[in-house]
Amino acid sequence: MALFTYSRLSHLLRIYANKPPVLRTAAEITHGPPCCVQLVRCQRTMDSKALQERQKQHMAKGLPKQKPITGVKRVIVVASGKGGVGKSTTAVNLALGLMANDPSKSVGLLDADVYGPSIPKLMNLKGNPELSDNNLMIPLINYGIPCMSMGFLVEDVAPIVWRGLMVMSAIDKLLRQVDWGSLDYLVVDMPPGTGDVQLSITQNIPIAGAVIVSTPQDIALLDARRGAEMFKKVNVPVLGLVQNMSVFQCPNCNHQTHIFGSDGARQLADTLGVQLLGDIPLHLNIREMSDRGKPVVVSSPDSPEAEAYRKVASAVIQRLEEINP
């Protein structure tokens, strides 16, 4: 099969540029009778509508049918338009917060960031997953949360240098070839941005809702808005925004400083018509415990930081019940 290369695209564009137009120009039809002008305009409108209809039918055929993950009741994706805003830390503590608020619920954690997996470090997990009798990968478990990540399948420092098709294949394996058992919630740590992985996941599995993580900084909010708009386009409910690193409190004098700005995510939530799920402070304890693989929800359950994550988890459940009672 021939490849549609850049050189072939350029060749086709050159042919199109040199081809005389099928329809006459405005100057050519100026002196014609008015009925001819109307006929041309009508033909253009009909051609445009027919083209749009064909494109819609073609796209519908190309889209995969959504299929639920076996054993998983609800999938919650945690996303951000930009990296470095604390998305993975939020995803981990959200999963732990869901279970802390209701220990009867089973929660799993999927790391969909193929190029930069963070879950193994944050959850203090190492090793390769074993295979079940059905040849499915068995998640690694810590703090009562079964986890799956590309980081379990490669060396810690090994770069993943893959093109799009290989990444899509890896995502499919992480979605379909894992024995999750029975889960009430599967929290998916999405990669930053709005690219192939996000589209592949949203088109292949039913998603209960998306949580958008951002700092209050303007430059981060721009990308957070793009992320929220992407989920709306693919008909995934946006549960709300989490304003991360909202305020820094000096450990010596308790003075509060809004390093990344104040209430930027709250204002964006109002603009988008979605809920602000909560504020997470910029706190040394969150960073230190995350680096040690001991998330604050389990290592410091009585701290204000852990309480902030549990409040976000409660807000997420409330929004899910409102959307799917």
Side-chain angles (χ1 to χ4, degrees), residues 116-257:
S118 302
I119 298 305
K121 176 72 173 178
L122 291 168
M123 292 294 286
N124 194 28
L125 287 168
K126 290 184 179 180
N128 301 115
E130 297 180 355
L131 294 177
S132 68
D133 294 337
N134 296 327
N135 209 31
L136 298 176
M137 292 183 288
I138 300 176
L140 276 63
I141 301 176
N142 198 9
Y143 310 121
I145 303 284
C147 304
M148 182 52 62
S149 170
M150 183 58 63
F152 300 149
L153 308 176
V154 297
E155 296 295 330
D156 291 344
V157 296
I160 300 176
V161 188
W162 287 352
R163 293 187 182 274
L165 290 177
M166 294 181 68
V167 174
M168 295 304 101
S169 177
I171 290 296
D172 184 68
K173 286 180 171 55
L174 292 176
L175 291 174
R176 303 294 180 193
Q177 299 185 19
V178 176
D179 185 2
W180 290 107
S182 179
L183 293 179
D184 292 292
Y185 306 105
L186 176 63
V187 178
V188 181
D189 180 21
M190 300 280 273
T194 56
D196 289 343
V197 173
Q198 288 82 353
L199 286 175
S200 179
I201 291 176
T202 56
Q203 290 174 354
N204 276 280
I205 61 173
I207 296 175
V211 175
I212 309 295
V213 180
S214 179
T215 63
Q217 189 179 6
D218 288 346
I219 194 68
L221 293 169
L222 286 172
D223 292 324
R225 180 166 189 170
R226 293 188 182 99
E229 294 292 353
M230 181 209 72
F231 284 114
K232 288 184 178 181
K233 283 189 175 182
V234 294
N235 299 317
V236 172
V238 177
L239 302 178
L241 272 68
V242 174
Q243 185 166 246
N244 198 28
M245 310 182 201
S246 58
V247 63
F248 171 74
Q249 181 170 302
C250 176
N252 296 320
C253 66
N254 293 328
H255 175 72
Q256 292 188 343
T257 303

Side-chain angles (χ1 to χ4, degrees), residues 1-152:
M1 181 180 294
L3 296 177
F4 192 75
T5 61
Y6 176 79
S7 59
R8 188 178 180 189
L9 174 62
S10 301
H11 176 66
L12 292 176
L13 290 176
R14 284 196 297 270
I15 293 176
Y16 180 79
N18 295 327
K19 186 177 181 180
V22 175
L23 296 175
R24 292 179 296 172
T25 64
E28 292 174 320
I29 64 175
T30 300
H31 302 292
C35 61
C36 294
V37 178
Q38 294 176 0
L39 180 61
V40 170
R41 288 176 178 170
C42 181
Q43 184 65 39
R44 286 177 176 174
T45 303
M46 293 174 62
D47 290 345
S48 177
K49 289 181 179 179
L51 177 60
Q52 290 176 1
E53 186 62 29
R54 287 198 300 270
Q55 288 176 339
K56 187 184 294 185
Q57 293 175 359
H58 180 72
M59 289 296 294
K61 291 179 181 179
L63 291 176
K65 292 183 178 180
Q66 288 187 335
K67 182 181 177 182
I69 300 175
T70 303
V72 177
K73 294 180 180 178
R74 287 177 170 176
V75 177
I76 303 169
V77 297
V78 180
S80 67
K82 182 179 290 297
V85 297
K87 169 184 56 60
S88 297
T89 302
T90 301
V92 165
N93 284 284
L94 170 61
L96 292 165
L98 290 170
M99 197 169 64
N101 289 343
D102 189 351
S104 68
K105 300 296 184 182
S106 53
V107 184
L109 187 58
L110 172 62
D111 189 351
D113 194 346
V114 173
Y115 292 115
S118 302
I119 298 305
K121 176 72 173 178
L122 291 168
M123 292 294 286
N124 194 28
L125 287 168
K126 290 184 179 180
N128 301 115
E130 297 180 355
L131 294 177
S132 68
D133 294 337
N134 296 327
N135 209 31
L136 298 176
M137 292 183 288
I138 300 176
L140 276 63
I141 301 176
N142 198 9
Y143 310 121
I145 303 284
C147 304
M148 182 52 62
S149 170
M150 183 58 63
F152 300 149

